[in-house]
Every structure is written in structure tokens, then in C-alpha cells.
Amino acid sequence: MIDIDDPGAADGDGSRSEPESSDRIVTITLDRPDARNALTIEGLDALAAAIESVGSAPDSPSTSPSPPVSETSLPSADRGESPSAAGARSVPTAPVIYLRGRGPAFCAGADLDAVNDLDGDRERAREFARLGQRAARAIEASPAIVVAGIDGPAMGGGLELALACDVRVGTPASTYGEPGVTFGLFGAWGGTVRLPELVGRGNALEFALSGRTINAEEALRLGLISRLEDDPRTVAEAIADNPGDALAVLKRRVRDDSERETQERREAEAFAELVARHAEDIGSVLE
């Protein structure tokens, strides 16, 4: 399941949302702990809709009031709710999205029952892959900075979603793997593109071809995760303390895949805009 609830409201599993310590973060929770947060077709659709529904905060926290915090979990078809209805619910504008899993896993990837139900149909399998790719692209395209807080296993498609995030923070208990090759598959939610970009082609091939699971220390060494923390949310909070417009601009510039001259021109234009907008803030630093 994946639901959108107000802070403190009852979640679909009957639990209460944890209190938020920051008012500039939208938390999206993968909420199928009994299935290690594995994603069905409906879950993927709901996840993409939830990410796409969150806008960034263009204002500096020093000049404008912060938006209210939201605890976001997506409702799943398991509860008879429509993913599109979940995506249509109002969520606040925020500079940071914190993506996490409920329970002992971040995300086990694709729900194998859902994969089995494809019954070998090529077109349905393509559509399932495209749904996962849509969720990953929504993360990359979001104007908000998306921070993955990874506690427990991030496997297969779960790892691929994390790879699409702007920052990946693992706990010491986190583990990582692409086990699909062991039963004749591979991750098709953009992992074959993003994995070598992050860890290099040689490391990506060895990791994916072996199907092995690695611990947090090796994941950090390879570059699969950005940081290792007991509480990954602290990293999201530190990022959210910065002006929202600067965060959004930095994300766009770093993710710009245009040719270099175009990137540099856009970088200069964005820098000039921020200098003009934050002239007073810059001056206060020098005082």
C-alpha cells in the first residue's frame, strides 16, 4: 500500500503516522511491510502519482513562511482505493521529499506475484517495466530534492528507485542487491542505465551479473549510497534547511544532460538569478 494521510492520522495498517520534525519535507512511505514493501502495478502507479503531485518551494526560508509538513503514504488497491485518487489529493509544496519504507525493508522491488500474473505476455511485461520507469523518472524530474532513506533491504526494483533519487542515505542495517539474474530476469526500471552511471560499468556488471547482496559499507564504497547514517532523515532535514529555490536550481543543473556549452550558459543564467534574488541574504553573511 501507499496512502496520503495528514500528520498523525491513522494509516491503512491501523498505525499512527510518526510526528515530523521538519515543516519543509514531504515524507512518502512505501507501506506494505508484510511484503517488504514490494510494488504491484497499482502501487507503482500510485507512487509515481504521489511524487508528481509534490511541487518545490521556490522561496527562501528566511523570507517566506514554511509550508506545513505532510506525512505521505500511498493507498493501494489492497484497500480498494484508486491510485489516481491518491495522487489527486492535496499535498503541500516542499523543497524536499523523503522516500522511505515502513517496517524492516526499504523495498523488495517488484511484487513477484504481479510479475507471475503477467503470464509471459510480452506487451504486459513491457507496460509493467514502463510503470517502474515512470516512477523513477518522476523522482528525477521532481522539482523537489528526493532523499531515499534506506533501512533494511533495497532489492531489485527497490534499489532502482533509490538509484533515481538525488541523495541515497543508508543505515548500517541496509543491504542492496539485484537478484533478478538468479531466476532469469534483471531490473527494468532504469537500473541498467543508472547503475553504471553511479558505480562504473565494471562494478555494475559484476554486481548485477552475480546477483549478490552487499552490505551498507560496500554500498558506500561503490557509490550506491551517498551517506551512511543511523537516522537517514537527518540528512533530508539538513538539506531542507537551505533555500528552496537554490535546491531546485542545483538539481536542474546537475541533472542537465545537454551539451556542455548549453549547460554552462544555463548555469550562468541560474547563478545570476539567484544572486539577484538573494542579494540581501548574501550581504548578511558578510556582515
Side-chain angles (χ1 to χ4, degrees):
M1 8 183 204
I2 315 178
D3 311 290
I4 295 183
D5 294 320
D6 293 328
D11 290 331
D13 60 359
S15 67
R16 306 292 291 181
S17 296
E18 297 176 9
E20 299 286 359
S21 57
S22 169
D23 60 2
R24 292 173 61 78
I25 299 174
V26 170
T27 299
I28 295 181
T29 302
L30 306 177
D31 195 7
R32 291 185 70 206
D34 291 343
R36 299 201 306 166
N37 300 317
L39 288 162
T40 61
I41 290 173
E42 295 82 6
L44 283 169
D45 191 34
L47 175 58
I51 295 286
E52 289 164 354
S53 71
V54 180
S56 77
D59 57 288
S60 165
S62 64
T63 58
S64 299
S66 298
V69 68
S70 171
E71 172 77 14
T72 303
S73 307
L74 302 182
S76 100
D78 299 331
R79 301 212 311 268
E81 294 179 339
S82 161
S84 58
R89 297 182 193 174
S90 176
V91 294
T93 296
V96 173
I97 294 171
Y98 182 57
L99 179 62
R100 67 175 186 176
R102 181 140 0 241
F106 174 72
C107 180
D111 185 291
L112 290 183
D113 286 335
V115 176
N116 187 55
D117 287 344
L118 298 175
D119 200 25
D121 186 297
R122 284 183 171 84
E123 187 50 44
R124 290 174 63 201
R126 287 190 194 98
E127 184 58 29
F128 189 59
R130 288 172 185 143
L131 282 171
Q133 291 168 4
R134 175 196 166 200
R137 286 197 306 271
I139 291 169
E140 289 183 330
S142 173
I145 305 301
V146 185
V147 178
I150 307 168
D151 190 22
M155 309 299 286
L159 174 58
E160 292 181 286
L161 291 176
L163 294 179
C165 292
D166 303 301
V167 179
R168 292 162 301 286
V169 186
T171 71
S174 60
T175 57
Y176 307 82
E178 280 279 16
V181 71
T182 62
F183 46 90
L185 291 176
F186 68 93
W189 296 351
T192 58
V193 176
R194 295 182 183 93
L195 185 61
E197 287 177 346
L198 285 171
V199 306
R201 183 177 295 175
N203 286 328
L205 280 169
E206 186 281 326
F207 180 61
L209 293 174
S210 68
R212 68 190 180 96
T213 297
I214 63 174
N215 62 22
E217 289 77 12
E218 185 169 1
L220 181 63
R221 181 181 63 79
L222 286 175
L224 277 179
I225 57 177
S226 318
R227 295 271 294 275
L228 189 58
E229 299 286 347
D230 290 330
D231 181 3
R233 186 180 170 85
T234 59
V235 176
E237 290 171 347
I239 291 172
D241 284 340
N242 296 307
D245 55 354
L247 293 175
V249 167
L250 272 169
K251 175 170 178 171
R252 287 197 301 271
R253 296 284 56 81
V254 172
R255 286 195 177 275
D256 190 347
D257 59 1
S258 305
E259 60 93 23
R260 182 174 294 253
E261 185 175 346
T262 299
Q263 289 186 46
E264 290 175 346
R265 176 177 54 79
R266 290 173 177 168
E267 182 183 64
E269 290 170 355
F271 176 74
E273 172 63 25
L274 288 174
V275 166
R277 185 177 296 182
H278 292 286
E280 193 172 311
D281 296 332
I282 297 165
S284 67
V285 173
L286 296 175
E287 292 175 355

